[in-house]
């Protein structure tokens, strides 16, 4: 094993310090300013209350934040490592407390480090100092009790959780004690980095020594079992903060302590490039990757770095939703499953918080544009969109999940939760990855990367460089950059991954057009600069219909870097018909009309940016529903009139044609149309006459032509049409194949679900003779379609109808029908918390559409949306708790009641 060195190797690119980048007004400053307000007004004593209570100190009458960050059970004791009385005898509650305060300290430190107003900076630094001093007092008080294994112990509960983890206690008895430890240590180190607090480093170092004392005596096999435990063994980025301590203190022992958190099973399969992520808890393991990168730096072992790079490639893009999020119900799904892994609890915001850090770290080491592309997607869409557009004095107003299912709703607030904690940090450091830099060691060429097009000013005083960027991006596909520098400098301008094809990336310097070549995703502008030189970038925003990698019929609408959300109360798939808008490169020439409220109109759709911070129900993914095979163009013949038939796998003609997103040239497009036509004729889904109509439509379309004014293209079109028709597929039949349709007697509700059993009628028409018409539901056997309607029971049904004419030609139509006629049913369980309290757990089940929410109300309590088990203090008289669940179809359970007994007499 190589000996650890305590200086990380040189980076390809290093970020600008927070203080050296100032954001100008724009979409990012909206969320930043709202969070800065919270940072400035929230009482520090409330954050310290759980720590002071645990140490027996005066809480100064402060109440903790609430949620997961609340006082423990009234009868809970700060048990040491060996005096915990056991789960049955120990009343406990809120076992993750302390983590939120760590995040809040990080937020204060980051905000102070990036503040450009001296008064605000001093105010925030004073709040950092107050928190650090409060934590130091708690650490010293705990040490003075002699109850704990090392004087560095610092937590808002006793050391017993760490002992029980070593006994492999499950989640429920304990709650991720090292996760909480990491958040506290990370907050302290941020306080040291960004405000210069020496006390914060001392407190964190003592905590690190306590960690080493606990873990260094354990066998490797035992540690491996601990870190593999679901949630209980979640350790956050403990390995990262310990590596940071090693560098900051010069103590190599902390490198060895960091290695004690290695999960060798994960490192082994990842380093070997084997994908075994399916079913693993996303945030539990994503948070460790930064530490593995740091260990790779400090030990020189390639295994660590290789594992992280391979894991990244397993996650992006194959397990990444359009807005940059990952995971369903906090777990990673199968490789390549995006459309196939859309559930009701997608994209935990904590995961994206960590993925952004990993992307940034990998860019620093490689300079590769793919990491910056991910960063732009995730920070612009999920992270910015995770902050509600409201002000608050006591809540971060951020999301836990940022779900992607039809009819999703962002549920903000999240005081005290894990994502409430990371959300505190997310919005005060938007400037941290806009620019990167590298200085030649011999004083030669300086390099600045412009990774994000965000209105801002960057200063590099040591190199004599100042950059001012003016742009309304992401609402504008252009940026004006003034460079104040003298001498040799290379400016590397990132070409966004979406800026391809028709969205050309052009550059002018002082008005003079430049010959650009994107090398590795960047256009390099190197010259002998003079102060005031202006670089103008143009990258026209284009609307794109982007298919999911595992199902091309499931698409998102994206405008430049922005993912658009379709507002709708429906919780079933919304259709999108875009065939006549598709350009050669797959972008859409669509009638997108802006509205005064910050939304756009596209036909019947109301679209908003993911970063809006609104609270409307939305659809991130839409379902392609083009009824006919048609192409862009003003010639009426560009619409063939031929139904957009589907294969047995439900992929339509147009799904198959546009599966790769677009084409390099018109010849490639026409060849693909011919190839797809051949396939669908061979399958019996198109007749020869229909195939010819499709080929004529393609030849007469404007796809791939520079203009569609009809002038100068007639001869070319006639030539293309003749060439295509000469190769048209033939069959022994002529005439039209049967047309079949499925019609419902009634319309579904506003959610898209039928709340009563629907009646479906299947009919077909044909030019000659009588067709055989059959229908089936799901994979059931085919049945002849009769005059009696088909009545469906509860469930999401795929109804397929087919008609076959006398010549054997077959046509199919597929319709998804969602039925849920019954409300969910809530089960309530209670657990006494000593004589004066009770924990209530409301769990609802709906096996059809799924539970949308559970609401409850008690005395002096408004109707609240259920999120987690909650506790109620018992009073002298019985209390009535009312509750009811609603499913995603819109069925509501009748209001039910739970009667709580009075408190036990003292």
């Amino acid at each position: 094993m190589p000996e650890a060195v305590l200086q990380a190797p040189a980076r390809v690119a290093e970020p600008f310090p927070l203080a050296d980048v100032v954001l100008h007004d724009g979409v990012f400053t909206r969320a930043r300013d709202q969070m800065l307000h919270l940072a400035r007004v929230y009482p520090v004593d409330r954050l310290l209350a759980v720590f002071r209570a645990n140490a027996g100190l005066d809480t100064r009458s402060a109440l903790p934040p609430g949620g997961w960050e609340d006082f423990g059970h009234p009868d809970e004791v700060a048990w040491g490592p060996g005096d915990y009385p056991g789960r049955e005898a120990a009343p406990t509650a809120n076992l993750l407390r302390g983590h939120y305060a760590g995040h809040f300290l990080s937020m204060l430190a980051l905000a102070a480090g990036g503040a450009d107003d001296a008064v605000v900076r001093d105010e925030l630094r004073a709040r950092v100092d107050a928190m650090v001093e409060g934590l130091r007092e708690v650490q010293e008080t705990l040490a003075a009790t002699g109850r704990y294994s090392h004087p560095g112990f610092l937590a808002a509960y006793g050391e017993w959780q760490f002992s029980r983890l070593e006994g492999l206690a499950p989640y429920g008895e304990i709650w991720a004690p090292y996760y909480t430890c990491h958040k506290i240590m990370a907050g302290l180190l941020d306080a040291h980095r960004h405000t210069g607090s020496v006390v914060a480093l001392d407190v964190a170092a003592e905590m690190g020594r306590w960690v080493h004392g606990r873990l260094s005596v354990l066998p490797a096999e035992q540690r491996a079992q601990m870190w593999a435990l679901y949630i209980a063994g979640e350790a956050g980025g403990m390995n990262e903060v310990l590596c940071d301590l090693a560098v900051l203190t010069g103590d190599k022992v902390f490198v060895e302590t960091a290695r004690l958190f290695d999960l060798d099973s994960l490192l082994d399969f990842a380093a070997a490039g084997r994908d075994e992520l399916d079913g693993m808890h996303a945030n539990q393991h994503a948070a460790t990757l930064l530490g593995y990168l740091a260990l790779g730096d400090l030990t020189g072992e390639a295994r660590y770095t290789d594992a992280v790079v391979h894991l990244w490639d397993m996650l992006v893009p194959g397990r990444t939703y359009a807005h940059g999020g990952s995971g369903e119900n906090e777990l990673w799904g199968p490789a390549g499953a995006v459309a196939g892994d859309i559930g009701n609890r997608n994209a935990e915001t904590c995961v994206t918080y960590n993925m952004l850090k990993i992307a940034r770290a990998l860019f620093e080491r490689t300079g590769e544009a793919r990491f910056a592309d991910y960063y732009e997607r995730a920070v612009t869409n999920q992270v910015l969109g995770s902050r509600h557009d409201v002000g608050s004095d006591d809540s971060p107003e951020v999301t836990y999940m940022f779900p992607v299912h039809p009819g999703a709703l962002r549920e903000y607030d999240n005081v005290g939760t894990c994502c409430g904690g990371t959300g505190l940090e997310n919005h005060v450091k938007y400037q941290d990855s806009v620019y990167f830099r590298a200085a030649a060691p011999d004083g030669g060429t300086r390099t600045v990367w412009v990774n994000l097009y965000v209105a801002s000013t960057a200063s590099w005083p040591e190199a004599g460089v100042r950059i001012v960027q003016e742009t309304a991006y992401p609402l504008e596909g252009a940026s004006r950059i003034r460079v104040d520098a003298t001498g040799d400098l290379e400016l590397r301008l990132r070409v966004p991954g979406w800026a391809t094809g028709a969205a050309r990336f052009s550059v002018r310097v002082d008005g003079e057009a430049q010959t650009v070549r994107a090398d590795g995703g960047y256009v390099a502008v190197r010259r002998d600069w003079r102060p005031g030189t202006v670089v103008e970038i143009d990258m026209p925003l284009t609307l794109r219909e982007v298919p999911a990698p595992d199902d091309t019929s499931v698409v998102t609408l994206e405008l430049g870097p922005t993912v658009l959300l379709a507002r709708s109360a429906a919780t079933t798939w919304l259709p999108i018909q875009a065939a006549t808008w598709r350009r050669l490169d797959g972008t859409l020439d669509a009638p997108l009309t802006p509205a005064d409220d910050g939304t756009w109109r596209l036909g019947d759709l109301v679209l908003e940016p993911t970063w809006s911070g609104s609270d409307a129900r939305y659809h991130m993914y839409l379902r392609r529903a083009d009824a006919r095979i048609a192409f862009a163009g003003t010639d009426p013949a560009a619409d063939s009139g031929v139904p957009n038939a589907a294969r047995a796998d439900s992929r339509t003609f147009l799904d198959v044609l546009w599966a790769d997103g677009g084409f390099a040239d018109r010849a490639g497009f026409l060849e693909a149309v011919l190839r797809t036509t051949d396939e669908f004729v061979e399958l019996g889904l198109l007749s020869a006459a229909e195939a010819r109509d499709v080929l004529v439509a393609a030849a007469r379309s404007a796809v791939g032509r520079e203009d569609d004014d009809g002038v100068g293209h007639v001869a070319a079109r006639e030539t293309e049409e003749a060439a295509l028709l000469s190769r048209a597929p033939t069959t022994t039949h002529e005439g039209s194949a049967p047309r079949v349709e499925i019609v419902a007697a009634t319309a579904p509700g506003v959610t898209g679900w039928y709340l009563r059993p629907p009646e479906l009628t299947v009919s077909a028409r044909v030019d000659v003779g009588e067709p055989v018409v059959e229908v089936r539901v799901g994979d059931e056997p085919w049945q002849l379609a009769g005059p009696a309607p088909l009545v469906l029971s509860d469930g999401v049904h795929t109804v397929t109808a087919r008609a076959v004419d006398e010549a054997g030609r077959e046509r199919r139509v597929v319709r998804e029908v969602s039925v849920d006629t019954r409300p969910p049913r809530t089960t309530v369980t209670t657990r006494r918390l000593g004589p004066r309290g009770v924990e209530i757990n409301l769990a609802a089940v709906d096996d059809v559409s799924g539970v949308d929410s559970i609401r409850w109300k008690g005395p002096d309590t408004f109707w609240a949306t259920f999120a987690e088990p909650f506790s109620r203090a018992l009073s002298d008289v019985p209390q009535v708790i009312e509750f009811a669940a609603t499913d995603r179809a819109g069925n509501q359970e009748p209001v039910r009641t739970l009667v709580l007994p009075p408190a036990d007499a003292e």
Side-chain angles (χ1 to χ4, degrees), residues 793-814:
S793 60
D794 282 10
V796 179
H797 306 284
T798 301
V799 181
T800 307
R802 68 180 180 186
V804 183
D805 67 9
E806 294 174 348
R809 291 173 299 183
E810 177 182 312
R811 180 92 65 185
R812 297 188 183 193
V813 64
V814 179

Side-chain angles (χ1 to χ4, degrees), residues 138-328:
V138 169
Q139 186 182 56
E140 291 179 350
T141 302
L142 293 175
T145 67
R147 170 177 279 177
Y148 307 108
S149 63
H150 186 280
F153 174 69
L154 173 59
Y157 43 74
E159 197 174 352
W160 67 274
Q161 280 207 70
F162 298 90
S163 298
R164 291 301 300 129
L165 174 60
E166 292 164 13
L168 306 181
Y171 170 52
E173 181 178 359
I174 62 173
W175 192 351
Y178 278 105
Y179 175 94
T180 305
C181 181
H182 165 247
K183 304 313 171 191
I184 299 167
M185 293 181 70
L188 290 164
L189 292 186
D190 280 334
H192 174 69
R193 287 191 195 93
H194 299 292
T195 71
S197 172
V198 176
V199 173
L201 180 60
D202 291 341
V203 174
E206 281 299 293
M207 291 182 72
R209 295 183 184 100
W210 164 76
V211 172
H212 183 82
R214 285 212 69 94
L215 295 181
S216 61
V217 297
L218 300 180
E221 296 79 5
Q222 184 178 359
R223 295 196 310 272
Q225 290 177 292
M226 289 162 55
W227 310 140
L229 286 172
Y230 175 75
I231 293 185
E234 185 173 358
M238 281 299 303
N239 51 3
E240 179 195 7
V241 293
L242 288 161
C243 286
D244 289 345
L245 272 177
V247 173
L248 292 169
T249 64
D251 190 342
K252 295 182 180 180
V253 169
F254 289 130
V255 178
E256 296 311 306
T257 314
R259 294 170 69 104
L260 298 176
F261 287 90
D262 285 0
L263 181 58
D264 287 321
S265 58
L266 172 68
L267 287 167
D268 288 344
F269 76 67
R274 297 193 312 273
D275 190 334
E276 299 178 13
L277 292 178
D278 190 8
M280 295 184 72
H281 188 275
N283 200 53
Q284 179 166 349
H285 301 294
T288 67
L289 303 190
L290 279 168
Y292 290 142
L293 281 177
L295 281 169
D297 290 342
L298 297 178
T299 67
E301 293 186 31
R303 169 189 186 230
Y304 289 112
T305 305
D306 290 346
V308 176
V309 172
H310 289 156
L311 285 167
W312 179 273
D313 291 338
M314 296 171 195
L315 295 169
V316 182
R319 288 183 172 91
T320 302
Y321 301 108
H323 62 350
S326 180
E328 157 59 15

Side-chain angles (χ1 to χ4, degrees), residues 103 229 247 418 509 514 580 626 660 707 819 858:
H103 283 298
L229 286 172
V247 173
C418 55
V509 177
Q514 304 294 297
T580 58
D626 296 300
D660 293 332
D707 61 73
V819 186

Side-chain angles (χ1 to χ4, degrees), residues 26-197:
V27 297
F28 291 100
T29 55
R30 182 273 297 177
R32 180 203 64 185
D33 292 346
Q34 289 166 336
M35 198 62 81
L36 278 176
H37 173 76
L38 180 68
R40 296 176 66 185
V41 303
Y42 197 83
V44 168
D45 284 340
R46 292 191 65 183
L47 299 160
L48 293 171
V50 291
F51 292 92
R52 287 170 171 156
N54 185 60
L57 295 170
D58 181 8
T59 62
R60 305 180 186 182
S61 301
L63 294 176
W68 300 356
E69 191 77 3
D70 211 338
F71 289 131
H73 186 277
D75 301 325
E76 186 177 334
V77 176
W79 297 291
D83 54 1
Y84 170 65
R87 185 176 188 181
E88 299 304 320
T92 61
N94 300 302
L95 292 177
L96 207 70
R97 60 187 185 270
H99 79 108
Y100 190 75
H103 283 298
F104 211 103
L105 179 55
S106 285
M107 175 182 70
L108 291 173
L110 290 163
D116 58 322
D117 183 291
V119 173
V120 173
R121 182 169 58 248
D122 290 344
E123 176 188 338
L124 291 167
R125 284 182 172 177
R127 294 171 67 78
V128 168
D129 290 343
M131 276 202 76
V132 169
E133 197 55 40
L135 292 173
R136 180 200 60 78
E137 181 187 18
V138 169
Q139 186 182 56
E140 291 179 350
T141 302
L142 293 175
T145 67
R147 170 177 279 177
Y148 307 108
S149 63
H150 186 280
F153 174 69
L154 173 59
Y157 43 74
E159 197 174 352
W160 67 274
Q161 280 207 70
F162 298 90
S163 298
R164 291 301 300 129
L165 174 60
E166 292 164 13
L168 306 181
Y171 170 52
E173 181 178 359
I174 62 173
W175 192 351
Y178 278 105
Y179 175 94
T180 305
C181 181
H182 165 247
K183 304 313 171 191
I184 299 167
M185 293 181 70
L188 290 164
L189 292 186
D190 280 334
H192 174 69
R193 287 191 195 93
H194 299 292
T195 71
S197 172

